[in-house]
Amino acid sequence: MSYEEVALALAEGCTTVVIPLGAVEQHGPHLSLGMDADHADALAERIARSCGKTLVAPTIKVGCSSHHLPFPGTISLRAQTLEAICIDYCTSLAGHGFKRILIHSGHIGNFPILKDMLGRLREAVPPDVEILAFTDSTTWIDTWRRAVSEAGGDVSAVGGHADIAETSLMMVIRPASVRPDRFEVGHLGGLSEADLELMWKNGIRSVSHNGVIGSPFGSSREIGDACLAAVTELLIESFDGGTKAGSAR
């Protein structure tokens, strides 16, 4: 859009904007480093089309991925860097007249950082500007499990990273980026508290040698469509409900 088109949209009452967050990090041998940014883009477009009178800001493509840095190509921001970028996005958009800012992340690793910064984002904008962010990783993964099951997939292959859900949705969003000949099983079963502590401390290799949590086998476009639709619905319901379903306030 040109600045004139944005100004016209605002004048016509289009005062809601979505800010998608992504990441540049490994997703096993079979998916691209930009998977999370592509995912966030796709979800944002679906949210905007469903809600109406909503624009999508350019995706913040790099996120906080320090636990993936042992894998080549991963780029990670410090938490304070991501927060500074988000504040600059929000204050810029609020200054133009946007009154409702919706933030989601295609990278679950951004969730705790986003939750922590949310109060400071709100303090940075005028009081008549509403900022909502989705930060509930448990509900997100459960939504994937339900979508995979309803689409006929193997729920045990859902692990949350380069698994059947992420691989399937990339078959829809960017099929050329999926490498079926490089499918490998990763860590299967839920991550225990000890596993999570080890991963945050020593990196994802400490729980998965190939960077996959779950399994990509059995992935399909049908599962991908189901996952995209289910998470889009989750985010819209969360933003509409405010404190419901993990939309932090």
Side-chain angles (χ1 to χ4, degrees), residues 170-179 221:
M170 286 306 291
M171 287 178 170
V172 176
I173 297 169
R174 197 182 291 275
S177 72
V178 181
R179 303 158 177 81
R221 288 182 59 90

Side-chain angles (χ1 to χ4, degrees), residues 136-202:
D136 185 346
S137 58
T138 299
T139 300
W140 183 293
I141 296 294
D142 286 345
T143 299
W144 269 349
R145 290 194 177 104
R146 186 169 61 255
V148 168
S149 175
E150 291 174 355
D154 180 4
V155 176
S156 69
V158 178
H161 193 74
D163 61 354
I164 190 172
E166 289 200 322
T167 304
S168 294
L169 64 87
M170 286 306 291
M171 287 178 170
V172 176
I173 297 169
R174 197 182 291 275
S177 72
V178 181
R179 303 158 177 81
D181 61 319
R182 297 293 295 122
F183 281 6
E184 293 182 9
V185 176
H187 174 97
L188 292 177
L191 291 176
S192 67
E193 286 299 322
D195 289 332
L196 288 170
E197 288 180 14
L198 192 64
M199 183 181 74
W200 293 123
K201 180 180 180 181
N202 298 324

